[in-house]
Amino acid sequence: MKGLVFLGDRRLAFVDVADPTPGHGEVVVAIKASGMCGSDLHPYRAPHDPAIAIGSRFIGGHEPAGIVVAVGPGVPTHVAKEGDRVMVHHYHGCTVCAHCRTGWPQLCRPAMRKVSSVNVHGAHAPYMTTPASTLVPLHDTLSFEAGAAIACGTGTAWGALERLQLGGDETVAVFGQGPVGLSVTMLAAARGARVVAIDLDNDRLALATSFGAHAVINARDTDPAQALRDFTGGRGVQAVVETSGSPQAAAAGLAAVAVWGKICMVGIGATLNLDLRALLDRQVTVMTSYSMSSVGQQDCADFVVERGLDVDRLFTHRWRLEQAEEAYRVFDAQASGKGVFVF
């Protein structure tokens, strides 16, 4: 079969790899949807390294959903069987440490940590082999595209809200309204919170309103920290989720947090300059959130089904894998939206 790899310098290639067969404890998943994630743009835009042969690169894609088509030895039928609709939790570790046992293999020892598309083959291919322990059941009522979103971006949003322990009586500011930020907006609103969405793009903010935001702030036109204080009668917001990776957004979020408030950093790239005295005066809690656990991925899917949330609306582009060159050019240039490869 052919799989898609990132070469850097905004170049892609298709490589021939052997059709997968499952080893002990493994399954083969026929991919039906493989999401395009903002973090894909890092290897896509990175400088090309000619020392890395094309054939030794890993197939991209870490938002997989599909159907189990082959089961290896040692996999009980209650864990996986042919025909199961599944998402894949795209991390795998040693399986025996406390992190792995609680569904957090991304926190396993680095030497044991496997991440789809980083150091094992991912889902931008017709099939992928994965340990059966990485499978998360996909509800019959959810599309494969929705499963792909929950497998990373929407699941990451859920993980941040769980870290914040967001309650229905709180006001939360969500910086950035890309796919992760929109997912935070949608999930937080469905949990009963009052959501204020912040972005630089009016089209994104209009979409955030349709996803449940109670108010929006264009940070290009106004100081978001001051606008959030005004919105809350000077108190500040109880919770902030920063998804953009912007240092300016992180600083504004810290400035807007209320006394006893919490800020959760999700976006990659932000640099924090902490004024500890100001944070101490407000007893602010600063935390990070690294995607979600496999248990959290299932909880997110259950919540989406129970509340009837339209996760499919996150996708603005659906592509065939053979359109990958065009798909990533569009993704690289577009101001908003999310793409997915469908099979």
Side-chain angles (χ1 to χ4, degrees):
M1 71 174 186
K2 291 187 180 294
L4 182 72
V5 298
F6 299 109
L7 301 181
D9 288 338
R10 293 176 166 81
R11 295 163 53 201
L12 305 170
F14 284 97
V15 296
D16 289 308
V17 297
D19 290 340
T21 56
H24 190 276
E26 294 181 333
V27 302
V28 174
V29 177
I31 301 301
K32 298 300 181 183
S34 181
M36 300 168 68
C37 180
S39 60
D40 290 342
L41 296 176
H42 296 292
Y44 179 69
R45 295 168 174 168
H48 173 67
D49 186 350
I52 304 175
I54 291 178
S56 66
R57 293 175 181 267
F58 294 104
I59 294 170
H62 60 271
E63 298 187 346
I67 298 173
V68 175
V69 294
V71 179
V75 179
T77 57
H78 73 273
V79 174
K81 60 184 182 299
E82 292 183 18
D84 284 351
R85 302 175 84 249
V86 296
M87 301 174 283
V88 178
H89 190 251
H90 59 276
Y91 309 98
H92 184 63
C94 71
T95 75
V96 296
C97 71
H99 305 302
C100 287
R101 288 180 180 272
T102 54
W104 291 96
Q106 63 266 49
L107 302 180
C108 187
R109 298 190 307 278
M112 299 296 294
R113 194 182 304 162
K114 305 295 184 185
V115 183
S116 296
S117 81
V118 175
N119 56 4
V120 293
H121 286 315
H124 284 355
Y127 300 93
M128 72 178 293
T129 304
T130 190
S133 60
T134 66
L135 300 182
V136 179
L138 179 63
H139 292 261
D140 290 339
T141 58
L142 290 178
S143 69
F144 289 109
E145 292 96 323
I150 293 167
C152 185
T154 303
T156 294
W158 178 265
L161 295 177
E162 288 291 281
R163 284 278 283 157
L164 285 168
Q165 298 179 313
L166 188 74
D169 60 342
E170 294 180 326
T171 297
V172 57
V174 184
F175 283 81
Q177 293 299 305
V180 175
L182 282 175
S183 294
V184 175
T185 294
M186 174 177 58
L187 294 170
R191 289 167 76 131
R194 186 170 64 158
V195 181
V196 183
I198 301 99
D199 203 279
L200 301 172
D201 184 89
N202 283 328
D203 289 338
R204 283 188 174 196
L205 292 173
L207 196 56
T209 299
S210 74
F211 272 74
H214 291 66
V216 298
I217 297 169
N218 189 321
R220 195 182 300 279
D221 303 329
T222 188
D223 175 6
Q226 184 60 53
L228 287 167
R229 286 192 292 269
D230 292 343
F231 182 75
T232 55
R235 295 183 301 275
V237 292
Q238 293 104 324
V240 171
V241 182
E242 203 301 292
T243 72
S244 71
S246 161
Q248 292 81 10
L254 284 166
V257 174
V259 175
W260 296 109
K262 296 174 284 188
I263 179 169
C264 185
M265 311 302 299
V266 176
I268 298 172
T271 300
L272 294 182
N273 183 13
L274 298 177
D275 180 351
L276 289 180
R277 181 73 218 184
L279 299 182
L280 285 168
D281 285 345
R282 288 178 287 147
Q283 291 285 61
V284 170
T285 299
V286 180
M287 65 182 71
T288 59
S289 185
Y290 185 3
S291 60
M292 70 289 175
S293 68
S294 56
V295 176
Q297 186 172 332
Q298 183 68 74
D299 288 344
C300 179
D302 292 342
F303 185 84
V304 166
V305 170
E306 290 163 2
R307 302 302 174 95
L309 303 181
D310 189 3
V311 174
D312 292 87
R313 281 209 301 138
L314 291 167
F315 293 103
T316 54
H317 296 78
R318 288 170 170 79
W319 307 93
R320 309 300 296 182
L321 191 60
E322 56 266 28
Q323 298 174 292
E325 291 277 2
E326 179 186 1
Y328 272 99
R329 277 199 303 271
V330 170
F331 190 35
D332 186 34
Q334 71 189 74
S336 62
K338 182 174 176 63
V340 60
F341 294 111
V342 293
F343 296 78

